[in-house]
Amino acid sequence: MHDEEVTEHPADETLSALPQLGEREMETTLRPSRLSEFIGQPRVREQLELVLESARRRGVPPDHVLLSGPPGLGKTSLAMIVAAELDASIRITSGPALERAGDLAAMLSNLAEGDVLFIDEIHRIARPAEEMLYLAMEDFRVDVVVGKGPGATSIPLEIAPFTLVGATTRSGALTGPLRDRFGFTGQMEFYADHELDQVVRRSAKILDIEIDAEGSAEIARRSRGTPRIANRLLRRVRDYAEVREDGKVTLAVARAALAVYDVDELGLDRLDRAVLSALVHSFGGGPVGVSTLAVAVGEEPTTVEEVCEPYLVRAGMLARTPRGRVATASAWEHLGLRPPPRPDQAGPTLFD
């Protein structure tokens, strides 16, 4: 079985929304098992509830479901909930694991009627497997090619009706024919602070962590709108509370613990601040290309682009322009610096 891509450097990526080594077992413990337990995403929950209930009443598998959005927001949890709500079994794989059509054919042929097939990062599925998936999603059959060259023959293979749940962090990378075969698409959004507060409280109860309202709110506020990050920070704050305090997570304990892990009051970590600092101090606020910026902070361009930039852009501290990355006034102020005047705010010239 495969899940989302796993980060290999957990110590350096406390605020990465990608799952890290050793987190899967913990995430399984914290996952909600029913829609009624799922926190946040009210629009998607309501729409999905209607799709599932309608299918149950008609006694047929529901339409195929596509869940789109940034990592760490609960796409895998919702896929498991779909199976639980349908009282069905779930098979889990990922797009990169389906390199050949035969891999997909073997998985589809083993599905029982009503089963749920979850493909994570479905936009990364190989083209031969994707083309086989078209027929499976529409007609519940696959064509298996036997032999090679002119003597090859295609044998149709009937498969049991099933529901495909696909998850993607890059919906724009999906091909049109694949996207069109999903009957329902749910767009996952970043969580509000009060929703993350509920996530932290629920996880603290499951993990038997004593936490007060101010402590949970502080962790939620610094979690970048992402439940996976909120749960990770909760565990790190718990470690600090158990080792250096009396075990209870309060506002003061949360702040002290997050300072140890380099998570500031806006949810920025060491790498985020390094990117902003390089942009401001080394390049005058930009514009500068992402490759040059990555060299300046000693990271890979993909790390800067996929781990840092999404939140910095959403927080209004970094702008992507055709000429490169630019630090906003908020970035200068967060670093304790005065932003340079905009061209339209420049002082009088010789001809004024």
Side-chain angles (χ1 to χ4, degrees):
M1 297 201 316
H2 300 267
D3 206 335
E4 292 173 288
E5 184 178 338
V6 176
T7 300
E8 295 182 354
H9 305 288
D12 297 329
E13 298 186 358
T14 302
L15 295 179
S16 170
L18 296 174
Q20 298 174 354
L21 294 174
E23 282 194 329
R24 285 179 176 167
E25 183 177 349
M26 180 61 67
E27 287 194 346
T28 300
T29 301
L30 299 178
R31 289 191 197 280
S33 58
R34 293 286 177 175
L35 271 177
S36 58
E37 300 174 10
F38 192 90
I39 297 170
Q41 311 297 336
R43 196 70 176 167
V44 174
R45 275 192 294 119
E46 181 182 14
Q47 294 168 346
L48 193 55
E49 186 177 18
L50 291 172
V51 170
L52 298 180
E53 182 59 28
S54 175
R56 276 197 298 261
R57 294 187 180 188
R58 288 181 287 114
V60 297
D63 288 342
H64 302 300
V65 174
L66 177 65
L67 300 173
S68 174
L73 300 187
K75 297 185 293 296
T76 301
S77 294
L78 277 180
M80 294 181 174
I81 286 172
V82 167
E85 295 285 350
L86 296 173
D87 293 324
S89 299
I90 184 170
R91 301 289 183 90
I92 301 176
T93 186
S94 66
L98 300 174
E99 297 179 352
R100 298 172 298 175
D103 299 331
L104 179 62
M107 182 163 287
L108 291 171
S109 63
N110 287 323
L111 293 176
E113 184 172 354
D115 278 0
V116 173
L117 173 63
F118 175 52
I119 304 180
D120 194 21
E121 294 299 297
I122 194 171
H123 63 272
R124 296 173 63 186
I125 190 172
R127 182 52 60 91
E130 180 179 326
E131 292 175 351
M132 174 177 283
L133 195 57
Y134 296 160
L135 196 59
M137 294 173 71
E138 285 192 332
D139 301 330
F140 299 114
R141 72 181 179 89
V142 294
D143 291 335
V144 180
V145 178
V146 179
K148 296 182 178 180
T153 58
S154 179
I155 302 176
L157 175 66
E158 298 293 327
I159 58 177
F162 71 100
T163 296
L164 173 65
V165 179
T168 177
T169 55
R170 298 176 57 195
S171 59
L174 283 176
T175 61
L178 180 57
R179 189 187 300 109
D180 293 342
R181 283 169 169 78
F182 286 97
F184 169 74
T185 299
Q187 178 62 48
M188 310 283 281
E189 305 288 346
F190 284 105
Y191 283 56
D193 288 352
H194 72 274
E195 293 172 329
L196 286 177
D197 189 20
Q198 296 178 52
V199 171
V200 172
R201 288 168 178 264
R202 176 182 179 275
S203 298
K205 185 176 181 180
I206 293 172
L207 298 176
D208 196 24
I209 300 172
E210 187 178 3
I211 188 170
D212 65 17
E214 292 181 327
S216 65
E218 186 69 12
I219 293 172
R221 192 170 63 83
R222 302 195 194 192
S223 298
R224 304 164 78 111
T226 306
R228 174 175 289 141
I229 295 175
N231 286 328
R232 187 181 300 143
L233 292 183
L234 173 64
R235 298 197 303 274
R236 300 291 73 79
V237 173
R238 172 203 58 190
D239 296 343
Y240 180 94
E242 290 180 349
V243 173
R244 297 190 178 176
E245 302 291 340
D246 60 2
K248 182 177 180 179
V249 177
T250 63
L251 175 60
V253 169
R255 286 177 173 173
L258 294 174
V260 169
Y261 290 102
D262 286 326
V263 180
D264 70 16
E265 63 275 6
L266 294 184
L268 273 60
D269 64 5
R270 176 197 58 81
L271 183 56
D272 296 321
R273 292 191 296 274
V275 167
L276 293 180
S277 181
L279 188 55
V280 167
H281 290 109
S282 301
F283 305 104
V288 62
V290 66
S291 297
T292 303
L293 190 57
V295 170
V297 297
E299 289 286 350
E300 293 293 324
T302 52
T303 301
V304 174
E305 197 166 17
E306 297 177 7
V307 176
C308 298
E309 284 192 352
Y311 183 69
L312 292 176
V313 170
R314 192 165 65 89
M317 294 190 176
L318 183 143
R320 290 172 171 168
T321 72
R323 297 176 58 198
R325 275 54 176 176
V326 176
T328 67
S330 297
W332 289 80
E333 292 167 0
H334 187 65
L335 296 174
L337 302 171
R338 178 179 297 178
R342 299 201 309 263
D344 60 343
Q345 294 177 336
T349 67
L350 178 64
F351 302 100
D352 286 344

